């Protein structure tokens, strides 16, 4: 039996709903507040980049790809002056654990964790800098956090491949956000959280217009085709962990995690543009 990119995407999306809790749960931001770094999204940059160690802002700009350099530099390296990377990572886990247990309770996830960890065992680090850094981090002990951590590894592995797909498509960070926002209905979210100025956003839109990828109505057919190609390449590059797990066990993992995913979607933790995709 063959794991197709479409099936791999479905499996990723199921776990992703639990993983992105770490970006939106108020308990996570509250955990970051103890470090008192006023820069916008300081906790996000610090926690997600913590596996790199006390890195320079340039590494975050490069690997996170779609964030404005000035936004990153306002937070990094100030976050490392406030606390070491391990403390930021621990704060994120603490906040995530609180939200997961509040929403999901104490489900028996032993089988799901076993399957998710087996998928992660099939991931390889070459060309995947964020995944490679996180693959060296010790797994948490809490079973729900183990499931979340598996989602983290699979997400960062996929995300590294997504950057490769964006570069191959000739989409710079702003162009990636404009087209991706139009394709997913997340324009307001990405425009207000990625740090680009109105002038930079407008210039990126004009570059896309000149390529025939957007018009006054949004994405043109060429633009939709290009975004479809980006997602196709991303899906293809993200298959290896799921192929290692195998189709039968992949379906079982989806079956086990789907009720948890639905409870998280119903909890109001995630923004509407994510919930609407469920």
């Amino acid at each position: 039996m063959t794991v197709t990119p479409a099936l791999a995407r479905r499996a990723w999306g199921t776990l992703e709903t639990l993983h992105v809790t770490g970006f939106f749960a108020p308990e996570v931001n509250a955990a970051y507040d103890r470090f008192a770094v006023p820069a916008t999204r300081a906790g996000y940059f610090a926690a997600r980049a913590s596996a790199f160690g006390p890195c320079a802002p340039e590494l975050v700009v490069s690997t996170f790809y779609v964030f404005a350099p000035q936004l990153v530099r306002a937070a990094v390296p100030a976050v490392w002056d406030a606390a070491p990377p391990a403390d930021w990572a621990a704060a994120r886990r603490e906040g995530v654990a609180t939200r997961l247990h509040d929403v999901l309770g104490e489900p028996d996830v032993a089988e799901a964790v076993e399957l998710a960890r087996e998928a992660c065992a099939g991931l390889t680090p070459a060309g995947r800098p964020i995944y490679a850094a996180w693959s060296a981090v010790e797994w948490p002990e809490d079973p729900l956090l183990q499931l979340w951590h598996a989602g983290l590894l699979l997400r960062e592995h996929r995300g590294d491949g997504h950057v490769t797909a964006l570069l191959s498509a000739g989409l710079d960070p702003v162009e990636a956000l404009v087209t991706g926002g139009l394709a997913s209905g997340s324009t307001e979210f990405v425009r207000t959280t990625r740090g680009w100025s109105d002038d930079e956003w407008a210039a990126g839109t004009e570059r896309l217009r000149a390529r025939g990828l957007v018009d006054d109505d949004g994405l043109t057919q060429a633009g939709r085709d290009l975004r479809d190609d980006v997602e196709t390449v991303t899906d293809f590059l993200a298959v290896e962990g799921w192929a290692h797990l195998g189709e039968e066990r992949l379906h079982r993992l989806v079956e086990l995690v789907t009720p948890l995913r639905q409870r998280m979607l119903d909890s109001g933790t995630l923004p509407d543009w994510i919930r609407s995709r469920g």
Side-chain angles (χ1 to χ4, degrees):
M1 292 185 288
T2 301
V3 173
T4 65
L7 184 56
R9 182 183 183 90
R10 181 187 174 201
W12 159 76
T14 303
L15 272 179
E16 174 72 351
T17 306
L18 301 184
H19 175 254
V20 295
T21 300
F23 300 139
F24 297 104
E27 295 89 345
V28 175
N29 289 323
Y32 296 154
D33 287 345
R34 74 183 64 155
F35 304 121
V37 180
T40 301
R41 299 186 70 78
Y44 169 87
F45 292 126
R48 190 175 170 214
S50 62
F52 287 134
C55 61
E58 288 74 17
L59 182 58
V60 179
V61 170
S62 171
T63 55
F64 287 28
Y65 195 66
V66 292
F67 289 89
Q70 61 268 24
L71 185 68
V72 175
R73 293 183 184 121
V76 181
V79 291
W80 313 136
D81 295 332
D87 288 2
W88 288 98
R92 178 166 68 162
R93 283 185 176 180
E94 173 189 313
V96 167
T98 299
R99 173 56 53 147
L100 288 178
H101 285 286
D102 282 352
V103 173
L104 304 178
E106 301 293 337
D108 181 358
V109 295
E111 184 182 0
V113 167
E114 180 182 358
L115 293 169
R117 292 189 68 152
E118 184 64 19
C120 291
L123 302 175
T124 56
R128 316 273 186 164
I130 304 182
Y131 162 73
W134 278 105
S135 70
V137 172
E138 186 176 354
W139 284 73
E141 295 183 4
D142 180 296
L144 269 181
L145 273 182
Q146 288 187 30
L147 198 58
W148 172 82
H149 187 76
L152 181 157
L153 295 176
L154 289 157
R155 180 190 204 273
E156 298 296 11
H157 180 275
R158 179 185 176 85
D160 287 330
H162 186 59
V163 171
T164 298
L166 292 169
L167 288 166
S168 179
L171 293 172
D172 68 28
V174 176
E175 295 164 358
L177 290 172
V178 173
T179 56
L182 290 171
S184 66
S186 62
T187 295
E188 181 178 1
F189 174 77
V190 297
R191 187 166 186 175
T192 57
T193 59
R194 271 39 181 173
W196 302 97
S197 69
D198 289 344
D199 287 345
E200 289 168 327
W201 192 272
T205 302
E206 286 307 307
R207 291 193 297 273
L208 294 167
R209 190 184 300 272
R211 292 171 63 182
L213 300 176
V214 302
D215 57 23
D216 291 341
D217 296 323
L219 289 174
T220 63
Q221 185 60 53
R224 288 190 291 273
D225 290 344
L226 184 65
R227 282 306 310 194
D228 287 346
D229 288 344
V230 166
E231 296 306 318
T232 297
V233 172
T234 301
D235 290 342
F236 175 78
L237 294 176
V239 165
E240 65 176 5
W242 304 110
H244 176 77
L245 182 62
E247 184 176 1
E248 183 176 350
R249 290 187 295 169
L250 184 157
H251 280 296
R252 177 58 176 162
L253 177 60
V254 170
E255 178 185 6
L256 291 168
V257 177
T258 292
L260 305 179
R261 173 182 185 269
Q262 192 58 53
R263 287 167 69 180
M264 185 58 68
L265 288 171
D266 292 341
S267 72
T269 300
L270 305 177
D272 287 343
W273 62 269
I274 289 181
R275 293 166 59 193
S276 66
R277 297 187 308 188

